[in-house]
Amino acid sequence: MGKTASPPDLVTIKGVNLGQKVEDVVSVTIDGESSSIVQNEYIVGESVTVQAPKFTTEGNKDVVLVIKGSDGEDLSSKSFKLKYQNPEVTSFSPLAGPMSGGITITVHGKLFKTGSEQKVMIDYSPCLIT
């Protein structure tokens, strides 16, 4: 069984006056690296969601958001910090099960409560977390 690419980490920035349309979001950088804006997740004036770059080290990352102002000038937000943590699976059991599913899988590791949403997938199928 080959290893599949993990989905990108999404970061949602919430605030006020975050533009009147997604095109007003000029740029978002995290730790100096450009982040792609997820256009269909944009909420007018309230939130911007981006695909975070892949980081190899944990820790605080500087985030800079640039929004186009009503006068057409770019307005840079004050830099703020994002605490980046990398969840890690150390083991799981059982190692095999029926193709029909329906069994309980126990996953062990650290930092599973990172972020605002946790998901477990087997291939592309979501699992119920209990």
Side-chain angles (χ1 to χ4, degrees):
M1 176 183 245
K3 198 172 189 182
T4 59
S6 62
D9 290 328
L10 299 180
V11 174
T12 300
I13 302 165
K14 295 181 180 182
V16 295
N17 299 324
L18 298 180
Q20 295 302 308
K21 55 190 180 297
V22 71
E23 293 80 14
D24 290 342
V25 182
V26 176
S27 66
V28 177
T29 58
I30 301 176
D31 212 35
E33 295 196 37
S34 182
S35 299
S36 299
I37 298 163
V38 181
Q39 294 197 6
N40 62 340
E41 294 287 327
Y42 175 76
I43 298 176
V44 174
E46 294 180 15
S47 70
V48 177
T49 299
V50 297
Q51 290 184 3
K54 294 291 181 192
F55 294 110
T56 56
T57 58
E58 295 181 1
N60 292 329
K61 310 293 183 188
D62 288 320
V63 178
V64 177
L65 170 67
V66 179
I67 300 289
K68 189 178 295 179
S70 58
D71 60 0
E73 295 292 317
D74 291 350
L75 306 172
S76 180
S77 73
K78 187 175 182 180
S79 177
F80 55 95
K81 301 284 186 187
L82 166 70
K83 184 175 182 181
Y84 179 78
Q85 298 181 131
N86 194 18
E88 180 182 333
V89 174
T90 56
S91 66
F92 59 91
S93 63
L95 298 178
M99 291 291 291
S100 60
I103 63 168
T104 298
I105 299 172
T106 303
V107 181
H108 297 278
K110 66 177 189 169
L111 301 172
F112 288 156
K113 293 194 178 199
T114 296
S116 61
E117 184 177 311
Q118 292 78 37
K119 293 181 183 177
V120 175
M121 309 279 283
I122 296 179
D123 283 334
Y124 293 97
S125 299
C127 299
L128 176 66
I129 300 173
T130 58

